[in-house]
Amino acid sequence: MIPLSTPIPNIPRISPIYQKRLAKLGIKTLRDLFFHLPRRYDDFSKITKIVDLRVGETATIQGKVLEISNTRTWKKRMNITQAHIQDSTGSIRVVWFNQPYLINVLKNDMFVSLSGKVNLDKDIYFSNPSYERIANGEWPLAEKNSSAISHKPQAIGHLRHTGRLIPIYPETAGLTSRFLRYIIQPLLPNAKQIQDWLPDAIKRSQRLLDLNAAILQVHFPSSIKNANQARRRMAFEELFLLQLFVLRQRVKRLKDKAQPTPFNEELVRNAVAKLPFKLTISQKKSAWEIFQDLTKDRPMNRLLEGDVGSGKTVVAALAALENAKAGFQTTFMAPTEILARQHFQTLNGLLAGYNLEICLLTGKDAKESLGGRISNIAKKSLLVKIKNGQMRIIVGTHALLQKQVGFKNLTLTIVDEQHRFGVAQRAALQKNVESLPDGLPQNIPHLLSMTATPIPRTLALTLYGDLDLSLLDEMPKGRQKIITNLVPPIKRNAAYEFIRRQIKQGRQAFVVCPRIEVANDRGSDTNSTNENSIRDIFADISDVRAVKKEYEKLSGDIFPELKIALLHGKLKPTEKENIMADFARGRTDIIVSTSVIEVGIDVPNAVIMMIEGAERFGLAQLHQLRGRVGRGAHQSYCLLFTDSPSRQTQERLKIMTTCHNGFELAEKDLALRGPGEFFGTSQSGLPDMPMGSLIDLIMIKQARAEAAKVLQQDPELKNYPLLKEMLKKFQDNIHLE
Ligand code: ADP
Ligand code: MG
């Protein structure tokens, strides 16, 4: 037995290059390798005699290689490897594309097992089948010496790429499924050592496989039924740990104290009456839920979920107003400078009549305002005014989390786009809160998080467990549907003409270029914005390059007569601000931008959102970008472009043309891409949950019930040392609210 803790470099057959690639995925030991789970399976279990092959079916054949050779097609510059495979019933042509090395792997007279699809051209043939050699020693002796080749199938226990259910792993960082199968299968007997940490009673009541049996079956299942059982077990344990974690957090939180703020009915009534619009019913309801929470002496922990444009800001502003008028401080934190600045302006507008001191603090600038009049202030002086409690509403980026920012009586923290804050930043938020200097050290501020990436209900329930939800599930009256098109490459020029006509009529447009992933190890569909991660710094550089190129093309070749501005994350805040201000005033026609405009920006005259490389965005993100237009009286349009011919991509993007509901899109994203990618991995704080367990609401409930049962009997998990250890590991890997 190879011990589970064996480092990958000490495992035979893994070269240094692959050691590195595995390490990149966090696979450092044999144990890690076993817990790198397949995403799905190819079913190659149907083993067929060659004579019985039917066009269109997926099948496995076993036989002898004849006449293997390479040719090159000059037209398509493709390398073609051809062979014939013969069994006792006949032979069939086999073709592989662009794998010329195969003639060094599969030699004439060798016995092989092939799995793939049977195609028809002039004759029937196998195209690009998965292949493996069948070792001579394992081939039935009688047949080795005879010229007649039997179709008797190879025992499946030895097959790993053909002839059975074949695991397909998430293929990232240059690790193919083929390589992983090659490495994992011969090591699997060592999985017997894995100790199960799930209590027996739970396994019994939930009818779950033992962990080591599940590991065996999840990698190389002997049937679909077994594969499903294995996945169920693996999924359950993820959810069980998550629920244990969430429930224990809740117990802890019940002990926390907060400053109650009595409901100031007159103030709120007045403020609502003064708004330039009528609140929607769901805005009223959400605001009411928040005001109720604020009256309690236990910290609020509420997530305000609402589609783009559903009007979350004004709800938060009302809460901030009441808190400020009660004499307490509120922080209002946004993930980007642009958004922080916009919130600062919005709050100044909405709360101008209340004689409140509001300020803006980001990494680069400091501003204060009183009664709506804004002026710059030295950062040092601003910090003093925050510390002594004079500043009542403090708007900013994660700069607010810096150590030197101290408060007098911070009792409400509002976090916009909360999931965009990194794990470390959330931890800092918590710390900041716990070390309140003079104010009320024993009090934890009420927390209102907001998200415009609507988190599907199932996910919210799992993630936050006891977090309260307020939903803005209706749009303010009179909002239009944004006409969305997936523009095929041949219609590109027509689309440009369309944009030109709109702009001639006085409208404006956004053009968004995708983030270019560098060292992309999560697949090309991720698109995250975490200002602090090193990878993103590199990504930013190439983003800027891509967006500049687009800008040059549009301003030089396509729309030389229009005023076009370039916006990206590397510009100084003042530059960004000027560009946005010019755009808002109609001085520029088009903004070409990276996805920095993804959140928040509000320009009612902008009616076109053109998105390049749309396949690089999640549906929820595309929906957010789309939400930048359609904010005024004019019909608005979202034009999606992609160079990807993949049918899957086309179908995914097509969803945007018919679906206009952020919640639905988010659900679809989750189903299509999994929770890690839904959030952007680095900041989700979520462990990768490859089993897709987060979508299974019933199992979530069962896991929750079992976790509650265990904690009720044994809150400190004294009788479950293994479980306790697992939970600790789990906790070290995540930081949720
Ligand atoms: P989001 O929920 O995406 O953050 P915002 O708070 O930015 O949305 O609101 C989008 C726009 O809708 C803003 O211009 C805001 O003033 C406006 N708005 C908010 N609530 C209403 C309402 N009830 N009726 C009309 N317009 C509203
Ligand atoms: Mg918003």
Side-chain angles (χ1 to χ4, degrees), residues 306-314 332 339 342-343 416-417 450-452 599-601 624 628 631:
D307 210 343
V308 179
S310 59
K312 292 181 290 295
T313 319
V314 64
F332 198 129
L339 194 53
Q342 187 170 322
H343 281 326
D416 197 11
E417 299 292 322
M450 304 195 282
T451 182
V599 279
I601 307 304
Q624 277 201 304
R628 299 306 116 216
R631 297 189 159 221

Side-chain angles (χ1 to χ4, degrees), residues 123 220 265 357 466 514 535 569 600:
D123 53 351
F220 286 92
E265 191 177 338
E357 298 210 47
D466 62 325
R535 197 180 92 203

